[in-house]
Structures are given as C-alpha cells and as structure tokens.
Amino acid sequence: MSGFRLPSHPRNQARALPFRFDGRALEGRDGDTLAAALLANGAGIVGRSFKYRRPRGIVGHGFAETNALVQLGTGAGSTPNLLATRIPLTSGLEARSVRGWPSAAFDVGGIVDRLSPLLSAGFYYKTFIWPHWGLFEPAIRRAAGLGHAPVQPDGDRYEARERTCDVLVIGGGVAGMAAALAAAEAGAKVVLVEADPWLGGATGAEGASRLAAMERAVVDSPDIALMRRTTAVGYYDHNLVAACEEVDSPGLRQRVWKIRAGRCVLACGALERPLLFGGNDRPGVMLAESVRHYLARHGVAAGRRPLFVTASDSAYRAAIEAKQAGLDVVGLVDLRDAPGPLAEAVRTLGIELLVGHDAVRTRTRRGRVSGLDLLDRSRGRSIEVECDLVAMSGGWTPAVQLFSQSGGRLRYEEGIGAFVPEQSVQAERSCGAARGVLDLDACIADGRSAGLWAATGKEPPPVVRVEGERAAFRLPGAAKAFVDFQTDVTVADMQQATCENYRSVEHVKRYTVWGMGTDQGRLSAVNGIAVLAHLQGRDPGAVGTTRFRPPFAPVAFGAIAAGRPAGALFTPWKRLPAHDWHEAQGACFEDHGWLRPSHYPRGAETMAEAAARETLVVRHGVGLVDSSSLGKLELKGPDAGRFLDLVSLGSASRTAIGGARYNLLLDELGILFDDGMVARLGADHFLLTTGSAHAERTRRWLEQCLQCLWPLDLVVQDVTGLWATFTVAGPRARSVMERTGCDVDFSRDAFPHHRIRLGEVAGAEIRIVRASFTGEISFEISVRADQATSLAEYLMLCGEADEIAPVGLEGLDVLRLEKGYFHIGSDTDSRTMPGDVGFGSAVTRKPGDFIGRRSLLHPAASASRRPQLVGLQPVDPEAVVPIGAHVVGSAPRRSRGVVTSSAFSPTLGRSLGLALVEDGRAAIGSEVELWSEGRSWRARIAERTAYDPTGARLDA
Amino acid sequence: MLSIDCPHCGQRDETEFVCGGEAPTGRPPPDASDDIWTDYLFGNANPRGPVHERWLHAFGCRRWLAVERDTVTHRILSVRDFADAIGHRP
Ligand SMILES: [Zn+2]
C-alpha cells in the first residue's frame, strides 16, 4: 500500500497543512480529512487491534471506519477514540493512534498475535475466573484499552439548543436532498442535517451534474435550514432527534441540538460491507467505495495497483473511476458466476474481469498487503494476484440505526443481503440507500416521494426497489477471517460460540464481543449475522439483529452535559437572607441545602465548646436563632381548615384565630411525613410551617392532595422566601421582646404559648409565633426577607442588657435533644407512624376521615415489634454514642433498633440520645447494649424528655 | 422524550413533568376492607397497552394531569386536568 496524491486533482493545489501523527511530522492539504492526509502520506498502519495487536490500516471513510481511531490533542482538551476518517485536517493537528505503544507501527504487544490460538471467544471469562476476575481486570484493561480520557476538567465550551420543524431530513445525500426539496416545495419548514461538511453522500462521478444542481437548490431554498457537520445521534420518543454539531470555533467546540420534528425522513444512506476472507483485516484492504471516495473527493489514491473484489454490482463503478484516475487497476474479481451490467465498460477500459472466483487470503509483505490468493471455483484452481491494495465490496448495509432507535421493525432483504426498515412506529419514513435503494435515479425519486409524504402526510405510491444479484454466502475456509476488526472477532470465534450452543444474537454478541466496539458494529453487524445464520442453518432474518441503541456515534461528555448547571451551580446553596450578618458575627456554616450557621466560635473555641456555651445561653439567658429556612406555607380559602384536617393528624379547623398548634402531616400509608406549626391568621387563612428541608416537598404534597384527592376551595402558597424568621429563646426572651417597642402585649396572660400575633416593630410589619424547639420561652419573629439583617441587628441591640448571643444549629440540636423533640426523617424513618412517637391517642381521638387513617387502623399499625422512639441515657455519662449505633438485645444478640440522635448535654452534664427501638416504650427503664463498628456501650432506655419533663419552663 | 400536550400550557417536553405513576381509580371509603385498601395503596395493573397515569406539570402550570399513555407505543392518548378527570373542580 503506497498512497499518493493525484497530480491533476484540484486538492493537490490546496494550501499545505503540517500535522503530526504518532510524533511524525507530515503534511496534508486544506480540505483533507486526517485519514485522507494519512493515506496521501502512505501511512499504512494507523492502529493495533484490540486483542491480537495486529497492525490495522484505514479501511473506510466517514462513519464506515473501525480501525483508524485516534486521540487528538494533549492535556485537558485531549479527546480519545475519534475516527480519523471524520476529522477535518487543521494546521498543526496532533493525533496519536489509540492502541499500540510506543507507536502503532511498532507495538510491543504484537507478540500476542502469535499466541492467538489461546485467545478464543470467551477466553478472558474462562481463564481469569480464579480467584476473582477483579484481580486480573485492571491489568487486562490496561493492555487492551483504547484511548485515554483526560483527567483534567474539559476546558472546551459546549452548547445545547432546541428547535422544531415540520420536516426533519437526516442525511444530505441525493435522497435526502430530494426529500428536503420536495417537502419545502410542498410548503413545509425543513431542517436538513448532514454529518459531513459537504453534501452528496456516496454519489459518484455519473451523478455529478445533477448533484451540483440539487445542492444549489438546497442551499438557496429559504425553507430549508441546512446544518452541515451535524450528526443525528439519537432518535427518541415523539420524534425527538438529538444531533451533535461540530463547531470547532475557539469559543465553542460542539453544539447539541434537540430537534422535535413533525415528521422525519431518514436518508442516512448505507455503509459498504467488508468481505470475509483470510487476512481481510490487513493494512491495504479497504472498502471499494472508500477507495473511490478518496480518489474523487480528496485526490488521494490509497494504492498504485488496486485489485477490486466484489459480491455485487457496486464495485464496478469504483474500479472504473480508479482506472480513469490513472491507477494501474490489477483486476476486478466478481464472486458471482455471471458478471454485472457494467462488465463491458470495465473490459473496454482494459481492466481484467474475473467471475466465479473466491477471495481466499491476503498475502503480506512487512505487514501490508502484497497480494490476494483467489480460488477459481469452476476449475478448483488457486491463483495468486499481486497488488498493493485490495478494494472489497460485500454489498451495502442500509444505515438503519436511527430507524431502529425510533422503535421501527426491520426485515431481512435477500436482494441486498441486509436489513431494511419494515414497519414504522413513529412519524418517519426511510428513503434511498437507507432502505436499500441504491440506483441514483431511484434514490432521487424515492427521496422526493418521502419528502412529499413528510410535508403532507399522504402516503406516496411505492417506489420500485432496484435489486441486484448478490453472490451466495460462503463460509471462508481460511483462518483469521475477521467479522469485526475493532474487537478482533473472527469467523472461528463465531463457530466456537455456536459449538458452545450460543444461539441468540444478543448472547453471541456479548460472548464474542462482536459489535461491541466504538463503532457499535456498523461494519460488522450484518456479516456476523450472515455467519451465524449459516452456522445455525437459519435465514438471517430469523437470526435477527441486535438492538441498536443511541448514540449512533460517540458524543463527548461535555456535549451531553451542555446547558446543564455544573460546578457551583450544580446544586446551589440557598443563603439565608441575613447570611452576611451571620458571617460578620463569626458564624461557621453547615450545608443543609441552606447554608446555616452551625455555631459562632469565640476565641479558640472548638465547635463542641461553642455549641455547649450557646446551649447554656438559651437555658439560662437568651439566644437568637435564625429560623428563616423553616418552610412557610399559607393556605387560604373557605375550605382551608377542612383541608388541613384531612391531610394532618391535628384538627387545625378547631384552632381559634390567633391560635397555633403543633401539627403532624401523614401520607396515605399513615407514615409521618413532616411536622411543624399550624397557626390561624383568619377564618379562611392558615400558616403552616414545615421542616427546613421539607418545604418544597410538603408544598408539592399538599398540591397533590388538593388536586387529586380533595379538590376543595383553597389555594396553597409557598411564602418561605418572602419571610425571614428569627427566634428569640430563653428565660429572658420576654424581657428582650418588651424592649423592642413592638405594639404586641408580651405579658404571660396576653401572649401565652402556642399563639400567633401580628404587630409592628420599628416600622416593620412582623408576625410572631410562640412555639418552642428548645423547651424555653420562644418568640419566632418573621419579617419581610429584605429586612432580615435590620431585624437581627435590632434584636441584638434590644437584648444587649440580657447578654443575648447568636445560637447555631449545633446548640439548637442539643437543646431539642434535651427536650426529646424529634426531627422527622432522622429520628423517624419510612415506617414510623404516629403511635411510634407517642401520638397514638391523637389517631383514635380524631373524628372523621383523614389521610392515612385507614392505614393506621390496619393490624400492621398496631403489631408488636414496631420501632418506637425512646430516650437513651448511656451508663457512662461521658460516652457520646455514634448515631447509627445498633441497640442490641440480650439473647439472641440481634439488632433491635438504632440510635437516631446523640449528643452531650451541658445542661444535665451527661450524654443523651434518642433511638428507634422495637417495642421501645415497654423497655423504658431497662438497660441495653449499644454497638457500633466493634465498640459497645451500655445505656438505659428512658423517656424522651430528659429536661423539664413537665414543660414548666415553657409557661413561665 | 415524550411530548405532552398540557391542557393549560400546550405541547411541552417530558422534562417539564414528573410522572406520578398509575392513577388510582378512586380513594376507597373509610370502612373499606384491608384487601381493598392495600390494593389502593400498592396495586398497579402495569398493563401492556393504554394506562391511566398521573403527571405533574412541575415546571409549568404545576397542575396534576390525567394522562392516558400506551406503554407499547408511548403514544399519549389523552391529557386532562386531573381535577376535571375525577369530575370535580374547586
Ligand atoms: Zn401545564
């Protein structure tokens, strides 16, 4: 194989572009693909095979390529496993073969080929099973791997766009162009996507003039949006097609399009199939159409003395064009017994035509093709033909990948020996070579008719399919006839899989790895099915295809992620309205979805020391807690009270205006969903607070109940973000509030526990709820969110005399643990019902139906061994047991529950905990063992409330 | 990706919606048997063919929709506001 440029081709005059391949400095021409430039430089070997490390050369062009995988660029922008046949050459481009170290031409692993009898199908599965595959996998993968993914973040920019159209045409060959033009003429808005930078697909010299006219018409049409270098990679439900556009500008690498089309025309063309013969994978064996493509498009001859071998009519034209381009065409071998219709034209040009011959095996010199052994079937005689290029054509395989992704059913078409679309599921039609129509005129007619259908929805008259005669399938006798070049699967591997009774095409695929490379079997699928059909004595249609899945061609991760938030925006933190104020107070923050102050260290305080101090501040003085992250939902309407009664365990409707109560929300399983306060602002107006993490979920849940279960007359509004809330808590809280000058009467009788009051402080409207998560007198003061910092500063000022101090979540968590208050979701789980946390009587007392009630009456709700929430007091008062520790029974020593909360209480001078324990309430007073990661502790099961069990301090 | 014709917002991509699974045929009365209640909570017909589902137009009108979808062809056969579909509206 000795490629060169045709002196007469215009490309020869194009600007020279320097590039490097595997470190070698080479030169190409502007307009070349990397593959064309490599061929022009006579680069025969571009990679090593996956398993046997055999040298491999460029076999095809465009998507019809499986060997020439390269890694482009270096550093963060490096991209592995790109097809050299699809990379436009640019000045200074740096490419490396992805397999073969230090270079493809000299591979240290090449010795593996000589061990190949050992490396049959399933070799790895069978050999490396003891003691464990995982032991061998890393080394095997390192040796067998393709390119290398860069480890740095991708610095390129990608973009995601959407568009809609009446008609989407995929493929800009003659059929696709004809379809687009016909649809546009009929009044449709058309989008035409074409993967290549040029239009025309596989049309040869005989169609050049018509092609040029159509291309002009497409470009000029105001109703056709032409998208070049755009590959449709996925066909999804309801005619959504994902396409990837190569932009390659400095600011943007790729653009991903989601195109929703009214109707879709699949004009994806067809891929030429390799022939099966010994050594068909050797550098210098190429697809006939690809040889023609490089000659016509790039002015590059892949060899000086090509020998064409074909199973149908298709390679005749390629042989003629090669001869006309000045190559010394050694001959044209037709595997059939009778020649095709172009035989006369071939002979007239002086090309020797051999019919009724089989290709047996290649001969090589220094790893490259030097000849081909033929078998004259009628005389049973072997012939050796010298050549430097074998141009093969096993027929054409319609590119049905997108059709198959769309859900359509395929049918085996004997005439072309491949699968064609049979029945559509979505609004699409295939046309041209994509459904097996190969003749130029027929392709144009077929495209027009599909375009008319797409514009109007009217079924067109069927186009007559042009079918050629194809050579009968014969199993190659020679060794190393490759079905799949990229994954190194031979005919012998398929024979072995069949011997081992693998029959299903999906099973054979996975066992042999046939079709599992980066090309997803584009070149190998149909040949493999033909081999299996022969081995199983079945029709290829009965064997069937494996399923085609998106993407049709590899897509960069960056492109898939385009348009989605990444980095800091992936899950942005919610900041409290007074975030900056907390920072100024020296707060440390914790991530709870919201960034919330955990503690405010003074001097060299540790978190535990600060939390202990802040706990005692609330117990003995007064603290200020930012409660703005608590969810706040307003329910308004005549049925608001009734609705709240239906979705919760409490009876909100019986709350007086200005009153508030603790409220538990349930789901239909009777499981605790959320808790909070419900306060009545007016006859038809309620305020419901939710856990900080639950606001969005609870709002959705209430909406679902309202819309799907009880469509009553009310609205639910999430006002969490509108209000900022600060809680003044501690025995001196009232003293602070009285100093604010607020128009609300804070005296014990006028504003008792569980009430809501509206007022004004320093000109700002406020809502104050008396509720407590600390066990001390608390005022939860809400103000417009933008006034949060002013409120905090003002409260600090009013509290100066009482030595008010900000208190973070760590201290708050100790305070609520001392009181035995629970957190839904950490102290309860997906099985916890009201009775398990001490609200059983509320269920039986509540009249009428409500959500989850029927489930709570189910025997399972009152069965024994339900986990119940209880308090824990470690025997060693200093021992803080880890959350998640198991509560272990005496005998048998199985887990009877888990510790859900645990901390050291500075108020009581001992450690405390909460635990969900089987029948825990009955076990109060008994001692249990706690166990976690090899350590254990003794603890007494206790009532949950360890501090102020009568609640006297709340009413002080 | 499905395209769902929201009665309030028009034709929108599936990514705007949250699928709420098969829509129960109705909440059994409070005195329903354990079996009937359990079936209401956990029973799914999971048919091969048309199925009545509940979809929330989360990034649109935030209404729950009654969607009839064919699980074989993924065709959407009908879309209504859920409250309309169950016969009452606030
Ligand atoms: Zn909507």
Side-chain angles (χ1 to χ4, degrees), chain A residues 508 806 921:
Chain A
V508 174
R921 296 218 44 88

Coordinates of all heavy atoms in Angstrom, one line a residue, chain A residues 508 806 921:
Chain A
V508 N -24.5 -14.2 21.6 CA -23.3 -14.3 20.8 C -22.5 -13.0 20.8 O -21.3 -13.0 21.0 CB -23.5 -14.7 19.4 CG1 -22.3 -14.8 18.5 CG2 -24.2 -16.1 19.3
P806 N -26.0 35.0 69.5 CA -26.5 34.2 68.4 C -26.2 32.7 68.7 O -25.2 32.4 69.3 CB -25.7 34.7 67.2 CG -24.5 35.4 67.7 CD -24.9 35.9 69.1
R921 N -41.1 1.5 74.1 CA -41.8 2.1 75.2 C -41.9 1.1 76.4 O -41.8 1.5 77.5 CB -43.2 2.6 74.8 CG -43.1 3.7 73.8 CD -44.1 4.8 73.9 NE -44.3 5.3 75.3 CZ -43.6 6.3 75.9 NH1 -42.6 6.8 75.2 NH2 -43.8 6.6 77.1

